[in-house]
Amino acid sequence: MPKRDQDAHMRNNPIYDMLTEGQRAMIAHALVVEKLPRRTRIYNEGERVEYLYLLVEGCVKVFRKGIGGNDYVQLAMPGHFFNIRPYFTDGRHPFSAETYSETELYKIPVEVIERILHQNVQVCRYCIAALAQEVSKQEERSIGLMQKQMRGRLAETLLYLAELYGYEEDGYTLRIQLSRNDLASISYMTPSNVSRTLSAFTSERILSLERKKIKIMNLSQLEHISDLG
């Protein structure tokens, strides 16, 4: 990838304006760009954190096995780092990460990040705020989902996916294609309940389904169901 494209993507990240010219040069020199096909494992649970990963384009799920073999799934947000927390805890990944589509990542070695954190108080404060915001959003979403019925849970998840990844060129099809199991994990539902609710939304012409592709045909109705809970 041309250096100007790398600079453009880094410039879109909030941390960019906090860096000195020397620190930007340090990152540019050490930055590793990876373009990965779908279903590529990025790192495994228990491995040491060697890089901070910035999701430039595509979809990444961060997950680990829960009770009964069910995955606990989170999704990475495009334009943001998605493994800051383990770097600041014990330095090992508590989750695995895998691409869900063709994906482009920026990898910055932790040694470079450590040097910048020792030099730049503003970046330290940003990382603390980002961690707090991540935990707060996850708590808020978890509490909200647990208070809703099945229809409200799935509606909220589909709206969340639309906000996170957007739509294809047709303006209706979600840009991420999740398995029923992963939709269930994100929504705190069982796969069978997800399938039944999707079928109900389809019969009500709220959605249109083509295998894993989901088209939101009636956005206002989906928002209404989410609000009702």
Side-chain angles (χ1 to χ4, degrees):
M1 172 180 290
K3 184 179 184 301
R4 62 179 180 276
D5 293 339
Q6 296 178 17
D7 289 343
H9 286 300
M10 285 301 299
R11 198 175 292 115
N12 290 333
N13 190 273
I15 203 173
Y16 184 85
D17 290 335
M18 305 174 191
L19 300 172
T20 66
E21 288 298 326
Q23 290 162 354
R24 291 171 187 167
M26 193 189 310
I27 289 177
H29 178 73
L31 185 71
V32 178
V33 180
E34 283 193 345
K35 292 187 176 181
L36 305 173
R38 66 187 302 270
R39 298 298 184 189
T40 299
R41 188 62 62 91
I42 301 169
Y43 54 77
N44 292 301
E45 180 180 346
E47 292 180 348
R48 292 206 62 82
V49 178
E50 296 181 352
Y51 299 92
L52 290 192
Y53 293 87
L54 175 69
L55 177 57
V56 176
E57 187 175 348
C59 306
V60 170
K61 75 168 183 176
V62 183
F63 67 98
R64 68 180 173 195
K65 294 293 182 182
I67 297 174
N70 295 319
D71 288 347
Y72 173 75
V73 176
Q74 301 171 352
L75 295 173
M77 183 179 295
H80 291 74
F81 293 98
F82 58 87
N83 67 325
I84 292 181
R85 204 187 322 179
Y87 166 71
F88 282 101
T89 52
D90 65 354
R92 293 189 179 275
H93 291 290
F95 295 84
S96 299
E98 184 176 285
T99 62
Y100 231 127
S101 65
E102 291 186 359
T103 296
E104 183 176 339
L105 300 173
Y106 287 177
K107 298 165 53 175
I108 304 175
V110 293
E111 294 85 0
V112 173
I113 298 298
E114 287 177 356
R115 288 176 64 185
I116 291 174
L117 290 175
H118 280 93
Q119 298 170 1
N120 194 317
V121 174
Q122 192 175 5
V123 174
C124 290
R125 288 175 176 169
Y126 169 80
C127 290
I128 293 171
L131 285 170
Q133 188 177 38
E134 177 185 339
V135 172
S136 177
K137 283 184 176 180
Q138 290 177 2
E139 288 180 347
E140 183 178 346
R141 187 165 186 275
S142 297
I143 292 171
L145 284 173
M146 295 303 292
Q147 292 176 338
K148 294 185 177 184
Q149 303 297 322
M150 298 301 173
R151 286 169 62 88
R153 291 184 188 184
L154 188 57
E156 180 174 319
T157 292
L158 294 175
L159 294 171
Y160 168 70
L161 295 177
E163 179 183 0
L164 205 60
Y165 293 105
Y167 300 92
E168 300 288 356
E169 291 182 1
D170 63 7
Y172 298 97
T173 305
L174 293 177
R175 291 188 63 194
I176 183 171
Q177 299 177 28
L178 298 179
S179 68
R180 298 295 185 263
N181 286 340
D182 285 344
L183 271 176
S185 296
I186 296 169
S187 307
Y188 295 176
M189 299 169 65
T190 64
S192 59
N193 281 335
V194 166
S195 294
R196 282 194 292 268
T197 307
L198 285 173
S199 296
F201 285 171
T202 302
S203 65
E204 296 165 28
R205 298 186 178 181
I206 298 170
L207 304 178
S208 174
L209 301 177
E210 182 182 340
R211 300 186 70 180
K212 292 182 181 180
K213 290 185 178 181
I214 299 177
K215 290 185 178 182
I216 299 179
M217 309 305 295
N218 192 332
L219 180 60
S220 61
Q221 182 62 17
L222 196 66
E223 291 171 339
H224 179 64
I225 292 170
S226 178
D227 291 339
L228 285 178

